[in-house]
Amino acid sequence: MLEKKHLEFRDKVRSFALEQIEPKAAELDLTQRFPDEHLQPLTRMGYLGMLIPEKYGGNKVDTLCYSIAVEELSRVCGSTGIIVAAHNSLGSGPIINFGTEKQKQKFLPRAAKGELVAFGLSEPDAGSDAGGTRTIAIKKDDHWLVNGSKCWITSAPQAFASIATAKTSEDLSDRRITTFVFERDCEGYSVGKKENKLGLRGSDTSFLHFDDMKVPLENQLGEIGDGFKQMLKTLNGGRISIAAMALGMGQGALDVALKYSADRKQFGQPISSNQAIQHKLADMATELQAARLMIYEASQMKDAGVDFVEQSAMCKLFASEVATRAATTAMSILGAVGYMTGPYPVERIWRDVKLCEIGEGTSEIQRLVIARSLLKKLENV
């Protein structure tokens, strides 16, 4: 059961999302427009600094509250959900976890004030295989010289800085990577064109290009060669938030399907009186609640400081696939009207939620993580 503080937090986020976010959601998707007007109220409510300690201007909450916030925002607008999740977990997270005090003082107050931080791991030739990174950083006397590109970067056009990885050895057989904070005003830093995506079209996604980019030596995050370990830790936490994002969108699909089925009449009675429809609704609700409990458990394990790697992979895998099924089922309940762009957001949710099976590790990668964890336990018996 949720504690009173979590229930009150949920109500607060839900009211905010319905009042401030939902009215613009359809238009943002239709026009592929980034919601600049949302950043100020999101910052005012503390939702862009939920992982940042108060000493740096943040509004730090526990992981369970954070998951609830991402869930409720995504319930009305997946684009806003991913902006908030990526900024908190992937952008601010590495600075919080691996940054020096000087780096925290430099970057976290800006992040807490709503200046977005992006995250760059994937490259055209390095997706699931992060060790295949080709971006390279060569140490000079007073700076790093960086060349390479990162792809599919959420909020790249808006971010004042990006957490990104690069090799620090010219030896092609050396697969070690190092993490940096690349600032937008670094000479040689440029943002590529905005991608034309299937879903989450209110969230901008672009390439980042580094052409003889000069990066201050002090922008190295952690030790040389620790980048892969740091990224795994970052993604383990990020998987909880993307699971929460999927859950929110799945719940949004169920919300629409429930109301529509109660209002829509065929043969003189609501279609919700049809047993086949009732079974669909029951399956959606049951699977989403199971995903919710998995996400909340993983959140609490993270807060307790225990190993949550297996649980985060499980909840990301399960929630993303359950939510995709929920969106598909909702579309079948609404029929033709659910397939259309119009008064019902089902087709938008269906397009948006698919990303959750791909981003921050595909479903196939999650299954590998889970299986390896299970086998490792067997070896230790």
Side-chain angles (χ1 to χ4, degrees), residues 121 227-239 309 369:
L121 180 61
F228 190 72
K229 180 172 63 177
Q230 292 169 341
M231 292 302 99
L232 284 180
K233 182 175 180 179
T234 300
L235 290 172
N236 287 335
R239 284 166 182 159
V309 173
V369 171

Side-chain angles (χ1 to χ4, degrees), residues 247-302:
L247 171 62
M249 288 189 277
Q251 183 64 51
L254 176 58
D255 293 341
V256 176
L258 278 168
K259 188 174 189 311
Y260 182 86
S261 65
D263 293 342
R264 173 66 167 166
K265 289 185 171 57
Q266 289 286 277
F267 307 106
Q269 58 184 356
I271 63 172
S272 59
S273 64
N274 186 307
Q275 190 180 70
I277 299 295
Q278 293 177 359
H279 286 182
K280 291 178 185 293
L281 295 171
D283 287 346
M284 292 167 70
T286 301
E287 290 190 327
L288 289 168
Q289 180 63 5
R292 181 174 290 109
L293 295 175
M294 292 177 70
I295 293 165
Y296 290 0
E297 179 191 39
S299 299
Q300 292 171 322
M301 291 177 69
K302 183 174 185 292

